[in-house]
Amino acid sequence: QRPNSGLHPSRSRAHQRPGTQVRSQPVSRNPRVRSILLAAVVIAGSVSGCGAKQTQLLEAAEVAETETGQGVTATEIRVGFIFVDQTKLNSVLGLTSAPTGDIEAQLKALAADVNSRGGIGGRNLVPVLRIYDALVDSAASEEKLCRQFAEDDKVFAVVLLGQFQPTARPCYAALNTVMIDQTLYPVEQQEAEKLAPYFVQPNLPEYGSLLSGLASALSETRFFTATTRLGILGIDTEQNRRAYEEQLLPKLEALQADPVDVQWIDPATNASLQAGQNQAVLSLKSKKVDRVIVIGGSRLLAFFATIAIPQKFFPRYAVTSFDNPEYISNQAPEVLRGAIGVSVAPSVDLKADALEFPFNAGEAKCLKAVEPAGFKFESRANARVIVTYCDAVTLLERAFKGFDGEPLTAELFTQQLATIGPFDSAVNYAAAFEPNSYGGADAYRPIKFDETCSCFTLIGPTKDFER
């Protein structure tokens, strides 16, 4: 019999034991552009195509309502958590990430906290932790991880972190496993509906809404001028094109900021990624583009910098949280001169001292939940992972409140999210779900790049996304 707050016994232990303060370590600023190029080679698989196998998985998926979800018994609900280990990747790239402490101990404390209040739907939360090596990320490895959680661990839901492959989400849906997706991976409404009822992004907005908000922010901050020559740089996927054409482009046309060039990058292989970026630089430069909006996230801007910097192409960029602004700030700040954007998640956009810590009631609640594990986090960067897990657990707890002893299903979870209204997210400025809504981030704040600190700073109040 597993203890109520215990982890799956086969999972690896994280590195640091409780009882000591987790201190922030600044990410090293490596001026060599070649480090980003290496990152592009290593992580390029994160935006690769998934092929016929993915299509077959989706076609085989059965999303009919069942009596109770996998991983749920009369006394337990099993939930998977992915911890992305960047140790090897950071070693290769010469980077240093802020330490997160003993994630296993923190998860035990988080489970004990929710179980002390009656658990999730009257069941004790049993966390299942799996460590994922960022250095070996690929379509195959993410699908393997999916099958381990769904078929070996038999969990009800998985909290996704660092899963950029297009194979991952269809795999979980096909195996009837709920995804609480916390990865900076853009998903627009039509794609989310394909994955329903197994998909939700509580800490991120629907991608079309984000691009619409970005256009508004760019207009308000005078990113566009009468002589602006705008270019679009995007990861070439069906959903990214749809979000651009249906959400962003109409906004740009209304602002009389029609693009003079649109470059879509084929991410299928390292070769196509490299060739696409080379072609994009040549085309954007030839058309004298001086403003660029990046679409699709997946560190495209970081990859593109490896081509743009040597060719002395330095337009002003429009960025969002999906571009991981803090990462590019540390690796190639010269690319970001004059950059403007929108922030939905301060922990991935801003320096630690940009907002007080904790910055809201949700973050304070999550930090308190893991205090029994012996951790006192020095900064938001140290607590980034556990508060993200905490938000996911909070949603499960609230969605299934009042359903003690009743069947817990993916359909019920999705339906109930729309009834909880606004919630205190530990990660976002504001969060809420509505019917037929799969993205929880409900607001953004405009940001700009400040060369004095080589970081993004807030330049405006919180604004709601259009829904």
Side-chain angles (χ1 to χ4, degrees), residues 191-406:
E191 186 70 16
E193 289 174 355
K194 291 179 184 178
L195 299 169
Y198 300 103
F199 175 82
V200 65
Q201 283 186 314
N203 294 144
L204 295 168
E206 186 271 328
Y207 196 54
S209 298
L210 178 80
L211 292 180
S212 181
L214 175 63
S216 297
L218 294 177
S219 174
E220 293 166 3
T221 54
R222 299 184 180 180
F223 184 78
F224 305 119
T225 69
T227 59
T228 290
R229 295 187 64 80
L230 176 65
I232 303 296
L233 178 70
I235 293 291
D236 193 3
T237 66
E238 181 181 346
Q239 68 160 344
N240 285 339
R241 283 180 178 260
R242 188 163 53 238
Y244 166 67
E245 293 167 1
E246 297 180 6
Q247 296 281 76
L248 179 60
L249 185 57
K251 280 269 192 177
L252 295 175
E253 291 173 341
L255 296 169
Q256 297 184 332
D258 299 47
V260 299
D261 194 16
V262 180
Q263 293 293 313
W264 293 104
I265 308 298
D266 177 8
T269 66
N270 286 336
S272 66
L273 186 67
Q274 185 79 3
Q277 291 176 106
N278 279 318
Q279 174 59 37
V281 170
L282 292 174
S283 181
L284 293 168
K285 283 189 69 176
S286 70
K287 293 187 169 85
K288 302 185 185 306
V289 165
D290 60 3
R291 304 284 193 279
V292 172
I293 296 177
V294 182
I295 296 176
S298 302
R299 289 185 177 175
L300 174 59
L301 179 53
F303 302 162
F304 189 70
T306 68
I307 311 298
I309 292 175
Q311 298 193 42
K312 301 187 184 307
F313 180 56
F314 295 101
R316 291 182 64 189
Y317 288 97
V319 301
T320 73
S321 295
F322 287 95
D323 299 302
N324 204 336
E326 184 186 29
Y327 176 84
I328 190 66
S329 296
N330 286 308
Q331 296 310 300
E334 63 268 44
V335 171
L336 295 173
R337 296 187 186 107
I340 297 289
V342 294
S343 165
V344 297
S347 66
V348 298
D349 303 330
L350 309 173
K351 294 293 185 185
D353 58 357
L355 287 174
E356 62 181 340
F357 179 62
F359 81 107
N360 66 8
E363 191 172 51
K365 169 184 172 291
C366 288
L367 295 175
K368 185 176 180 180
V370 299
E371 280 183 0
F375 291 98
K376 294 188 180 299
F377 299 98
E378 184 176 90
S379 77
R380 180 168 294 109
N382 302 122
R384 180 186 299 169
V385 174
I386 195 60
V387 298
T388 302
Y389 291 164
C390 179
D391 260 10
V393 171
T394 298
L395 282 183
L396 284 166
E397 181 184 11
R398 291 190 61 179
F400 288 137
K401 186 175 181 180
F403 288 89
D404 296 16
E406 297 185 32

Side-chain angles (χ1 to χ4, degrees), residues 428-449:
N428 303 126
Y429 302 108
F433 283 97
E434 296 177 0
N436 200 35
S437 168
Y438 303 92
D442 202 36
Y444 65 91
R445 294 191 66 175
I447 54 175
K448 72 173 182 179
F449 186 72

Side-chain angles (χ1 to χ4, degrees), residues 18-284:
T20 57
Q21 189 175 48
V22 180
R23 298 188 178 278
S24 177
Q25 294 180 4
V27 178
S28 63
R29 185 168 296 151
N30 189 339
R32 296 173 300 169
V33 175
R34 67 184 295 272
S35 70
I36 305 180
L37 180 58
L38 181 54
V41 173
V42 171
I43 312 171
S46 69
V47 290
S48 62
C50 51
K53 190 171 184 180
Q54 172 186 336
T55 304
Q56 292 167 1
L57 279 172
L58 272 178
E59 289 174 349
E62 295 181 3
V63 292
E65 187 169 351
T66 57
E67 279 199 16
T68 192
Q70 173 179 276
V72 179
T73 70
T75 59
E76 293 182 348
I77 178 169
R78 294 166 62 79
V79 177
F81 294 84
I82 298 172
F83 177 74
V84 181
D85 186 354
Q86 300 189 78
T87 305
K88 294 178 182 177
L89 180 61
N90 285 344
S91 177
V92 170
L93 300 179
L95 305 177
T96 303
S97 298
T100 56
D102 188 339
I103 292 297
E104 181 176 343
Q106 293 165 35
L107 266 177
K108 285 182 178 179
L110 184 61
D113 177 68
V114 68
N115 291 340
S116 71
R117 296 190 297 274
I120 295 171
R123 282 85 164 176
N124 283 316
L125 168 63
V126 178
V128 179
L129 177 65
R130 281 192 177 270
I131 312 300
Y132 186 75
D133 187 350
L135 184 61
V136 297
D137 183 48
S138 68
S141 61
E142 288 194 18
E143 186 172 331
K144 177 182 177 182
L145 184 65
C146 159
R147 293 189 175 279
Q148 286 173 329
F149 274 124
E151 297 175 340
D152 299 340
D153 301 325
K154 299 189 183 305
V155 297
F156 172 78
V158 177
V159 181
L160 303 187
L161 279 181
Q163 305 298 284
F164 290 98
Q165 301 288 352
T167 52
R169 289 152 190 82
C171 175
Y172 286 105
L175 296 176
N176 305 323
T177 304
V178 172
M179 293 163 273
I180 305 177
D181 190 359
Q182 310 285 52
T183 302
L184 293 171
Y185 181 86
V187 178
E188 55 80 53
Q189 183 69 16
Q190 188 170 323
E191 186 70 16
E193 289 174 355
K194 291 179 184 178
L195 299 169
Y198 300 103
F199 175 82
V200 65
Q201 283 186 314
N203 294 144
L204 295 168
E206 186 271 328
Y207 196 54
S209 298
L210 178 80
L211 292 180
S212 181
L214 175 63
S216 297
L218 294 177
S219 174
E220 293 166 3
T221 54
R222 299 184 180 180
F223 184 78
F224 305 119
T225 69
T227 59
T228 290
R229 295 187 64 80
L230 176 65
I232 303 296
L233 178 70
I235 293 291
D236 193 3
T237 66
E238 181 181 346
Q239 68 160 344
N240 285 339
R241 283 180 178 260
R242 188 163 53 238
Y244 166 67
E245 293 167 1
E246 297 180 6
Q247 296 281 76
L248 179 60
L249 185 57
K251 280 269 192 177
L252 295 175
E253 291 173 341
L255 296 169
Q256 297 184 332
D258 299 47
V260 299
D261 194 16
V262 180
Q263 293 293 313
W264 293 104
I265 308 298
D266 177 8
T269 66
N270 286 336
S272 66
L273 186 67
Q274 185 79 3
Q277 291 176 106
N278 279 318
Q279 174 59 37
V281 170
L282 292 174
S283 181
L284 293 168

Side-chain angles (χ1 to χ4, degrees), residues 399 412-422 432-437:
L412 179 63
F413 177 59
T414 301
Q415 292 165 6
Q416 288 300 113
L417 283 180
T419 70
I420 66 177
F433 283 97
E434 296 177 0
N436 200 35
S437 168

